Amino acid sequence: MCKSALCLVCVSLLLGPSLSCYQCFVEVQDSLRLCWGHILSEHNVRNVDSCFRKLDRIFNNHERVIEAGRVGKGYDKQLKELLDGEILPMVGEFDKKRNNDTVYEERLQTAADNFIAAASKLPRVSGCLPPCGFQSAGAVYNCITCQYDSCELPLDCPVKEVTAMENSRSQMWCEVPFHLPGNIEVIWRFAEEVKTQQVDQFKEVTAGLDTLYSIPSSSLQHVGTYQCEIYSVQRSIVRLYFYLTVTPQVVAGHTELQEIFDLSLLPGGRFLPAPAGPPHSLTTSPLLLTACLTALLLLLFLSMGALYWSVLPEQTSYAEQEEDYLGL
């Protein structure tokens, strides 16, 4: 009867839905040795099942124990060392010996409190950096599943907009803010003319270690979505997307002229007004009228003077010819 009960306890311990740090790190055989001499004080009988229920209540269903076990990557070994340091001495002390349930209650509760205090001091910084990517280095240990939880971020990153002038260079960098393994492979793919994240629409362009994809002279045939996928040991880590728009040079020149024209217009399509102030009129400004008349008279005198001096040489020449003729 006793052996059958122990077998049932082992099966329930291994397959039961309630797991915690205790069941992640303490072997079943050690738990059986620990609970072998558990005595129910009320009936003075040995009951192993009751001991396992006590372990389940103190460790497996204890929120503080589970929270204390949420350590950073690589510190699960320290969790096991801390729990073994509390449980294994009790296993050696209680093995094949009878102890009342009150003794078990006190000793197990003290062990749980000591584990919480020590485990809570271990590093538990999560390095998860949104918005995307499988980031194993940022995971925390989960005592319910007995493994590290991933950052639970999507593999696909949001699409980034990239704009380039026709015949100019375009560059796209496949970079992420979190740490990457050393053995990575980078694959670039292209979906022509569409903005998409549908994997089946992409065709592979290049594969290797290059995280930079460069187009020396952009043209309209380069318009579309570029996908960069990073692998490590044939496992996808992250997928980045870039949507490239190429602006033709003719359109760019027209756009610049249009911007200049728009700057000269007011809202509603009206041109900028002339400087403020009443218009000047000749009839209303005697000073301006006098200046204009003076300028006209001066111009007249200068013209007459120029005409006089141009005629005078001709008259002199005629007189000299007449004197020469009479002298003959």
Side-chain angles (χ1 to χ4, degrees):
M1 180 68 180
C2 179
K3 291 183 179 180
S4 176
L6 290 178
C7 291
L8 290 175
V9 170
C10 291
V11 172
S12 64
L13 180 63
L14 292 173
L15 303 180
S18 298
L19 298 178
S20 79
C21 293
Y22 181 92
Q23 291 173 320
C24 292
F25 301 120
V26 179
E27 298 291 337
V28 175
Q29 292 300 323
D30 291 331
S31 297
L32 289 173
R33 292 173 59 198
L34 175 65
C35 290
W36 183 90
H38 182 269
I39 302 296
L40 292 176
S41 301
E42 184 178 357
H43 305 288
N44 196 27
V45 294
R46 189 164 64 91
N47 191 308
V48 178
D49 291 349
S50 178
C51 177
F52 274 97
R53 286 193 294 270
K54 194 183 281 22
L55 287 172
D56 195 49
R57 172 173 54 82
I58 295 176
F59 285 97
N60 298 343
N61 294 329
H62 199 312
E63 290 295 334
R64 292 180 59 202
V65 172
I66 297 174
E67 182 60 30
R70 295 184 62 81
V71 295
K73 186 72 173 180
Y75 288 93
D76 53 317
K77 295 180 180 179
Q78 282 86 334
L79 288 179
K80 177 174 175 55
E81 292 174 359
L82 291 175
L83 201 55
D84 285 347
E86 296 294 331
I87 298 300
L88 294 185
M90 292 178 58
V91 172
E93 180 183 348
F94 286 14
D95 187 25
K96 302 299 182 181
K97 296 179 181 178
R98 297 172 181 266
N99 290 282
N100 288 336
D101 51 5
T102 54
V103 176
Y104 274 89
E105 179 74 25
E106 180 181 355
R107 296 289 298 275
L108 290 175
Q109 189 61 60
T110 300
D113 293 340
N114 291 341
F115 172 79
I116 293 171
S120 298
K121 298 177 181 179
L122 294 176
R124 54 196 62 247
V125 177
S126 174
C128 296
L129 298 173
C132 53
F134 178 77
Q135 305 173 36
S136 60
V140 294
Y141 192 79
N142 189 339
C143 280
I144 297 177
T145 61
C146 298
Q147 61 185 5
Y148 283 93
D149 289 340
S150 67
C151 292
E152 299 182 355
L153 296 173
L155 196 64
D156 294 310
C157 298
V159 180
K160 295 181 179 180
E161 301 285 344
V162 180
T163 304
M165 294 292 298
E166 189 177 15
N167 299 325
S168 66
R169 179 181 296 273
S170 302
Q171 291 184 335
M172 288 160 278
W173 290 90
C174 190
E175 296 180 335
V176 291
F178 55 87
H179 176 72
L180 291 173
N183 53 341
I184 65 170
E185 180 185 14
V186 181
I187 296 180
W188 286 93
R189 302 182 181 93
F190 177 53
E192 187 176 359
E193 295 183 352
V194 294
K195 183 178 182 180
T196 181
Q197 288 182 295
Q198 297 294 326
V199 178
D200 57 354
Q201 297 190 30
F202 290 87
K203 295 181 180 180
E204 184 174 322
V205 179
T206 130
L209 301 175
D210 199 350
T211 57
L212 169 64
Y213 189 83
S214 179
I215 304 174
S217 181
S218 304
S219 63
L220 296 180
Q221 67 179 5
H222 295 122
V223 173
T225 306
Y226 294 81
Q227 179 202 77
C228 162
E229 187 166 10
I230 301 177
Y231 289 87
S232 177
V233 195
Q234 298 183 344
R235 178 177 184 176
S236 180
I237 298 177
V238 65
R239 286 195 292 255
L240 286 78
Y241 296 86
F242 307 87
Y243 179 67
L244 176 63
T245 303
V246 178
T247 305
Q249 288 184 340
V250 176
V251 175
H254 174 75
T255 302
E256 293 178 0
L257 291 176
Q258 184 65 39
E259 290 177 354
I260 295 174
F261 181 75
D262 291 342
L263 290 175
S264 68
L265 293 178
L266 291 173
R270 295 179 291 109
F271 282 99
L272 291 172
H280 297 285
S281 173
L282 292 175
T283 58
T284 58
S285 178
L287 183 61
L288 180 60
L289 181 59
T290 303
C292 290
L293 290 176
T294 303
L296 288 174
L297 290 175
L298 180 60
L299 181 60
L300 178 60
F301 288 134
L302 291 175
S303 299
M304 291 177 65
L307 181 60
Y308 171 77
W309 289 107
S310 65
V311 174
L312 182 60
E314 295 181 1
Q315 293 178 347
T316 304
S317 177
Y318 289 144
E320 289 177 352
Q321 291 178 4
E322 186 177 356
E323 290 177 358
D324 292 339
Y325 176 77
L326 292 176
L328 292 175

